[in-house]
Every structure is written in C-alpha cells, then in structure tokens.
Amino acid sequence: MTGATTYDFFSDATRDDPFPLFHQLREHDPVYETDFGYWYVSRYDDVVRLLRDTRLTSGRGVPDSLGV
C-alpha cells in the first residue's frame, strides 16, 4: 500500500456514510493502492488527467480483478 494509513472500505460506518473516508483519502492518500488490488484516485484533477491519458486502457473491471 502506498500510505501508512489503512482504511476500512467495507465497514458498516463507511457503507452508511462514505464521505469521511473520501475526505481522508483526498487529504492524506489521494492516490491509494488497496491491499485488494485496486487504486483509488480521489482528487478531481488527478482523475481528469488519468481519463484523458490515451496510454491508459481499461479491462472489464471487477470480473477481471476477481478472476471471474
């Protein structure tokens, strides 16, 4: 993982109100690699830059990452 902080993406509290987690990510780990193989990019300008980068492509998303 990229940051020293770990985040509980699947807690009941996060499910009920994810915005505090989003705020923490933006402030402390704007590009965060999870221990389950995903990257979270949480700042608008970073996301736009990634979406416009023609070198990047997408897979089929969750089915690919879960081996389905």
Side-chain angles (χ1 to χ4, degrees):
M1 289 198 266
T2 59
T5 304
T6 58
Y7 302 96
D8 193 353
F9 293 94
F10 303 107
S11 72
D12 290 341
T14 299
R15 185 195 66 228
D16 293 344
D17 182 11
F19 297 103
L21 175 78
F22 297 161
H23 176 75
Q24 282 186 307
L25 285 168
R26 277 191 308 277
E27 292 296 316
H28 303 287
D29 290 302
V31 178
Y32 180 79
E33 181 181 12
T34 68
D35 59 355
F36 49 92
Y38 287 93
W39 288 83
Y40 283 92
V41 180
S42 56
R43 290 185 180 162
Y44 179 84
D45 290 338
D46 296 331
V47 172
V48 169
R49 189 170 50 237
L50 287 171
L51 289 172
R52 291 183 177 165
D53 190 327
T54 58
R55 296 171 299 170
L56 300 176
T57 61
S58 63
R60 293 181 308 179
V62 173
D64 281 351
S65 64
L66 296 176
V68 177

